[in-house]
Amino acid sequence: MSEPSPALHLTDPRAMRALAHPTRLRLLGELRARGPQTVGMLSDLVDEAVGSVSYHLGKLAEHGFVVQAPELARTRRERWWKAAHSRTTWEPLETLDDPERKAASDLLRRAVLQRYADRLQAYLDTEATLEARWVEGTTSGDNLLHLTSDELVELRADVEALAARWEARSDPERAGAERVALIYHAFRWPR
């Protein structure tokens, strides 16, 4: 079975709006994290009706986020799905001159931010059940910096390089390895 391609760079506002749906973000995330799944398996994972999951997978497929994996089917009726790409990117700078793309980008960014907040809340709800060694590595924080726009671009590159270095080290098959979320934001503080 082929691995998903590295990244899909979004420029189409219709695709951005399609992905901005919370259920679709979650389905795509589960396919990326867990690998190929059937509609029934995904239905159990996201606690949504099979029909709803099928509909949302269709919308994701329409925009190239997921593809069917017929090689995994054991029967003619069984339908497996997989992520088409390991990540999705888009560049807010590319949307500034197009109001439709800007609105779609903002909608998607807000949906992703809500997904991050939901995941952090789920972690906080279960933190007391974890072994202390896992809680020891947990961190949250913010630093208020005074940077030029060029320095902010440099900071972005540094943070992305750091994330890429750790992603290259990531191995779900390594003994003791668990999924860990790395979420970061860097932006000019609103006035």
Side-chain angles (χ1 to χ4, degrees), residues 151 153-163:
E151 289 170 330
V153 170
E154 184 180 347
L155 174 62
R156 172 186 169 166
D158 288 350
V159 171
E160 288 176 349
L162 177 66

Side-chain angles (χ1 to χ4, degrees), residues 1-4 35-36 69 71-72 80-82:
M1 181 178 59
S2 64
E3 291 293 314
E71 67 277 8
L72 298 175
W80 285 76
W81 292 87
K82 64 183 178 181

Side-chain angles (χ1 to χ4, degrees), residues 77-90:
R77 292 189 45 146
E78 191 175 63
R79 291 177 61 184
W80 285 76
W81 292 87
K82 64 183 178 181
H85 307 89
S86 61
R87 69 171 29 130
T88 303
T89 66
W90 67 98

Side-chain angles (χ1 to χ4, degrees), residues 23 27 39-40 42-44 46-59:
T23 301
L27 289 169
V39 171
L42 287 166
S43 175
D44 290 342
V46 302
D47 196 28
E48 291 273 342
V50 170
S52 174
V53 169
S54 289
Y55 172 79
H56 289 300
L57 285 170
K59 288 296 181 187

Side-chain angles (χ1 to χ4, degrees), residues 8 11 33 36 39 42 51 84 93 151 157 160 162 168 172 179 183 186 188:
L8 170 66
T11 58
V39 171
L42 287 166
L93 180 62
E151 289 170 330
E160 288 176 349
L162 177 66
R179 290 189 340 185
I183 300 168
R188 199 196 104 219

Side-chain angles (χ1 to χ4, degrees), residues 165-186:
R165 189 180 92 213
W166 281 96
E167 184 176 23
R169 186 172 167 177
S170 176
D171 179 2
E173 303 301 319
R174 191 174 59 233
E178 297 286 345
R179 290 189 340 185
V180 172
L182 172 61
I183 300 168
Y184 54 87
H185 297 277

Side-chain angles (χ1 to χ4, degrees), residues 22-41:
T23 301
R24 294 180 200 144
L25 276 174
R26 187 148 181 229
L27 289 169
L28 182 57
E30 292 294 348
L31 288 170
R32 287 180 176 162
R34 298 175 188 271
Q37 305 282 312
T38 65
V39 171
M41 295 162 82

